Amino acid sequence: MPESNAPAPPSLATGLLAGQRRALARAITLIESTRADHRQEAEALLAEVLPQTGRSVRLGISGVPGVGKSSFIETFGAALIAQGHKVAVLAIDPSSRRTGGSILGDKTRMEGLARDPRAFIRPSPTGGSLGGVARRTRESMLACEAAGFDVVIVETVGVGQSETAVADMVDLFLLLLLPSGGDELQGIKKGVVEIADLVVVNKADGDMAEAAARAAAEYQSALRMLRPVTQAWQVPVLRCSALTGTGVPEVWEAIGRYCDAIGEDGLAERRAAQAKAWLWSEIDDTLLARFRNHPAVAEALPAAERAVMAGEITPGLAAERLLQAFGIAPEES
Amino acid sequence: MPESNAPAPPSLATGLLAGQRRALARAITLIESTRADHRQEAEALLAEVLPQTGRSVRLGISGVPGVGKSSFIETFGAALIAQGHKVAVLAIDPSSRRTGGSILGDKTRMEGLARDPRAFIRPSPTGGSLGGVARRTRESMLACEAAGFDVVIVETVGVGQSETAVADMVDLFLLLLLPSGGDELQGIKKGVVEIADLVVVNKADGDMAEAAARAAAEYQSALRMLRPVTQAWQVPVLRCSALTGTGVPEVWEAIGRYCDAIGEDGLAERRAAQAKAWLWSEIDDTLLARFRNHPAVAEALPAAERAVMAGEITPGLAAERLLQAFGIAPEES
């Protein structure tokens, strides 16, 4: 990627705000770079365009492999574009390094959307912790908004922690389900259904239509039982077929109802809370990384963790000793 | 509390290991003290008795106010004592400072249990963050085990975060429910039912028996739908009446089945993971406290948080500036 080696020209912000796709691609490359000078440029760029961000609907979409995420986003995105929207799709996949790029493989299947000038598709940044990937995705989302995309979709696979990370950066978290019964059968991790603002059973077509209706009814009743209504919103369970397009417009309508239900103030509150949580996770990640990388800590840590896990030392005492190695003396708490 | 001002005599560990209730009370007072010299003594004491800990069933019990936690623990504890067990009850209530001691009020109602020499009841340590309260409770749990209590119950009210803290320090997390339909009606916080290893509908007596049966069936089906089976354990939903005692022995039997199902290895694994998580939460809490209390950070923080929440600065840049104020320069990530 030659862009990442050149300093950001002063015109990058201008190009980004003019909605140039090439400028957006370069901005994201800068955001994803781990070089210190690139980070500074990325931060300067984001600071410059920040007033022009925030004017999109931020959607998180998740679902286990095989649920049809790519087909859904392809059909859903095409419907939005037909209504005059500009749609950006970003991916979070902390497993992509290990599995050899499962989402990247998916991306090549969103062919229609990828060719459309009103869409922008960016595969997951590779490498780094979930925290690092999440930060870069959040910043890329801002870049997409600066470039005039008014629907930003953050997609993730159902691998556990990444769903929470995505739910924490979007306005609405949509979970795609298979037309079959129960989390265990579907391979859904514990707690993922509960963080969804909207649940959609995909593949509700042909032979599966009946199973989809049954699954939707069962999930709806389970959600009514376990999940308290928040922000005047009872999570609906919809059905659709990305293959035939049936039910896909209704998903966008439900998103509209959700936005109406929480209102502008509710949305602003959610985003402010997310921004604050992001600030603290950045601080926390950095502090813990410094701690782990401290030579004396790095040396003592493996034995300390082993002793704690074996019950040979209390975690409190082990923590105190490691903190002393880091240069922090105990104090009154 | 005069004990907390005296240094721990060398005999404290001996008294604790001999099962002296007075020694246990003094040990916990030492553990709860925030004085640096007391902390050192507490740590020395715990290090000494550590080999004699871990031999209890650690139970977490939670439920919203009004569910009958105290009555349940009273009836349940009496049944265990009748079987030859020694039962300790510790409480976690981060709200007790604010509400004027809601759990303390409850405790006076466990009169039968409080008078029994085979039981030990300790109200929640007041003051401090949830993290601090949790640490002291974990350490108090070890002290109870050293004193020969073979069932340690950690009780908490349904105020949100404290349930997770309790679930993270016990072998089995039991949630008490009211005989009524749905989390919203019951006032249960999102996600709390999902962390339970055992769900018990209390007040299943008289006029409420039918409603309790209905609630149990509904929760059972919702849990089957949403929660994957972990560790070869399908969470059962039982019914009992703390008032009449009906169903209470069955709760202890279910706990036995749970222990059999996860096995000794499963239990050791769970405890090792908890100990490791505890180590890291101690480290993390301390690092963040140092950060917040740093003069330059403390001065800049309120404005930085406001600007981040208002969308005037990216959280990434704000974090970097605060970390610089703390003395940490940015580096390649």
Side-chain angles (χ1 to χ4, degrees):
Chain A
M1 287 175 284
E3 300 102 325
S4 75
N5 295 321
S11 63
L12 189 52
T14 315
L16 191 61
L17 293 173
Q20 290 169 11
R21 291 161 57 88
R22 188 177 153 75
L24 176 55
R26 290 180 67 186
I28 295 181
T29 300
L30 207 54
I31 286 166
E32 289 178 356
S33 170
T34 55
R35 271 179 45 184
D37 56 332
H38 287 170
R39 275 235 51 79
Q40 288 205 324
E41 283 169 41
E43 273 163 6
L45 175 67
L46 288 171
E48 193 173 342
V49 303
L50 199 60
Q52 307 303 321
T53 65
R55 294 177 202 147
S56 81
V57 178
R58 300 170 179 174
L59 298 180
I61 296 187
S62 183
V64 295
V67 77
K69 275 191 305 297
S70 297
S71 313
F72 175 80
I73 293 172
E74 173 98 3
T75 307
F76 182 66
L80 294 184
I81 284 171
Q83 289 182 30
H85 293 288
K86 287 182 71 184
V87 180
V89 181
L90 306 170
I92 285 196
D93 181 7
S95 68
S96 61
R97 247 183 328 170
R98 295 191 296 265
T99 63
S102 56
I103 280 204
L104 210 65
D106 274 2
K107 284 296 152 297
T108 62
R109 278 186 269 131
M110 293 186 204
E111 283 180 8
L113 212 54
R115 274 197 304 266
D116 197 298
R118 291 156 296 178
F120 178 85
I121 298 183
R122 181 85 174 196
S124 185
T126 49
S129 63
L130 175 57
V133 171
R135 183 186 69 192
R136 285 174 268 165
T137 305
R138 285 195 200 97
E139 294 183 349
S140 299
M141 193 164 67
L142 298 178
C144 293
E145 292 177 341
F149 288 87
D150 67 337
V151 180
V152 182
I153 295 172
V154 182
E155 177 198 356
T156 188
V157 287
V159 292
Q161 289 293 70
S162 67
E163 289 91 345
T164 314
V166 169
D168 285 347
M169 68 175 75
V170 296
D171 302 329
L172 179 144
F173 183 69
L174 185 164
L175 180 67
L176 283 176
L177 294 181
L178 289 164
S180 59
D183 288 5
E184 198 191 354
L185 283 170
Q186 302 220 9
I188 296 170
K189 294 282 179 299
K190 189 167 131 186
V192 170
V193 176
E194 289 81 354
I195 60 169
D197 300 299
L198 185 56
V199 173
V200 179
V201 179
N202 191 24
K203 304 194 176 179
D205 49 45
D207 290 352
M208 303 294 263
E210 213 172 299
R214 209 164 40 238
E218 284 172 354
Y219 271 103
Q220 186 73 77
S221 107
L223 279 168
R224 261 203 205 105
M225 193 69 192
L226 289 184
R227 176 166 170 159
V229 174
T230 50
Q231 306 162 313
W233 179 247
Q234 171 69 47
V235 177
V237 181
L238 308 177
R239 280 170 284 160
C240 81
S241 165
L243 189 68
T244 67
T246 310
V248 173
E250 285 79 359
V251 173
W252 183 243
E253 286 166 24
I255 291 168
R257 281 199 304 279
Y258 170 82
C259 293
D260 289 347
I262 69 164
E264 269 184 43
D265 288 354
L267 183 61
E269 236 172 73
R270 179 167 175 154
R271 287 186 176 182
Q274 287 173 341
K276 188 177 168 186
W278 175 8
L279 169 69
W280 281 104
S281 86
E282 291 262 335
I283 291 168
D284 202 23
D285 287 355
T286 306
L287 291 175
L288 279 172
R290 291 301 167 117
F291 179 80
R292 280 179 182 280
N293 294 335
H294 186 282
V297 173
E299 200 191 319
L301 194 51
E305 277 192 332
R306 264 197 310 276
V308 160
M309 291 177 76
E312 292 159 11
I313 180 174
T314 62
L317 187 54
E320 195 184 302
R321 287 187 186 159
L322 288 168
L323 286 161
Q324 271 169 347
F326 186 59
I328 287 185
E331 67 180 11
E332 315 258 322
S333 65
Chain B
M1 287 174 282
E3 302 101 324
S4 76
N5 295 321
S11 63
L12 190 51
T14 315
L16 191 60
L17 293 172
Q20 290 168 11
R21 292 161 56 89
R22 186 176 153 74
L24 176 56
R26 291 181 66 187
I28 294 182
T29 300
L30 207 54
I31 285 167
E32 290 179 355
S33 170
T34 54
R35 269 178 47 183
D37 57 331
H38 286 169
R39 274 234 52 78
Q40 288 204 325
E41 283 169 41
E43 272 163 7
L45 174 67
L46 288 170
E48 193 173 342
V49 304
L50 198 60
Q52 306 305 320
T53 65
R55 293 177 203 145
S56 80
V57 178
R58 301 171 178 173
L59 297 180
I61 296 187
S62 183
V64 296
V67 78
K69 275 190 304 298
S70 298
S71 313
F72 175 80
I73 293 172
E74 173 97 2
T75 308
F76 182 67
L80 295 184
I81 284 171
Q83 289 182 31
H85 294 287
K86 287 183 70 184
V87 180
V89 181
L90 306 170
I92 285 196
D93 181 8
S95 69
S96 62
R97 245 184 330 169
R98 293 191 297 265
T99 63
S102 56
I103 280 203
L104 210 65
D106 273 2
K107 283 298 151 296
T108 62
R109 278 187 269 134
M110 292 187 204
E111 284 179 8
L113 211 54
R115 273 196 303 268
D116 197 297
R118 292 156 298 178
F120 178 86
I121 298 183
R122 181 86 175 195
S124 184
T126 50
S129 63
L130 174 58
V133 171
R135 183 186 67 193
R136 285 173 269 165
T137 306
R138 285 196 202 97
E139 293 182 350
S140 298
M141 192 164 69
L142 298 178
C144 292
E145 291 177 342
F149 288 88
D150 67 337
V151 179
V152 182
I153 294 173
V154 182
E155 176 198 356
T156 188
V157 287
V159 292
Q161 289 293 72
S162 66
E163 289 92 344
T164 314
V166 170
D168 285 347
M169 68 175 75
V170 297
D171 302 330
L172 180 145
F173 183 69
L174 185 166
L175 181 67
L176 284 176
L177 295 181
L178 289 164
S180 59
D183 288 5
E184 196 191 354
L185 282 170
Q186 304 220 8
I188 296 171
K189 294 280 181 300
K190 187 166 130 189
V192 170
V193 176
E194 290 82 353
I195 59 169
D197 300 299
L198 185 56
V199 173
V200 179
V201 179
N202 190 24
K203 304 195 176 178
D205 48 45
D207 289 352
M208 303 294 264
E210 213 173 299
R214 210 165 38 238
E218 284 172 354
Y219 270 104
Q220 186 73 78
S221 106
L223 279 167
R224 262 203 206 105
M225 192 69 191
L226 289 184
R227 174 164 171 161
V229 175
T230 49
Q231 307 161 313
W233 178 248
Q234 172 68 48
V235 178
V237 182
L238 307 177
R239 279 169 284 161
C240 82
S241 165
L243 189 69
T244 67
T246 310
V248 173
E250 285 79 1
V251 173
W252 183 243
E253 285 166 25
I255 291 167
R257 281 199 304 278
Y258 168 83
C259 293
D260 290 346
I262 70 165
E264 269 184 40
D265 288 354
L267 183 61
E269 238 172 72
R270 179 168 176 153
R271 288 186 175 181
Q274 287 173 341
K276 188 179 169 184
W278 173 9
L279 170 69
W280 281 104
S281 85
E282 292 263 334
I283 290 168
D284 203 23
D285 287 354
T286 306
L287 291 175
L288 279 172
R290 291 301 168 117
F291 179 80
R292 281 180 181 279
N293 294 336
H294 186 281
V297 173
E299 200 192 319
L301 194 51
E305 277 192 331
R306 264 197 309 275
V308 159
M309 291 177 76
E312 293 159 10
I313 180 174
T314 62
L317 187 54
E320 195 183 301
R321 288 187 186 158
L322 288 169
L323 287 160
Q324 271 170 346
F326 186 59
I328 287 185
E331 67 179 10
E332 316 257 319
S333 65

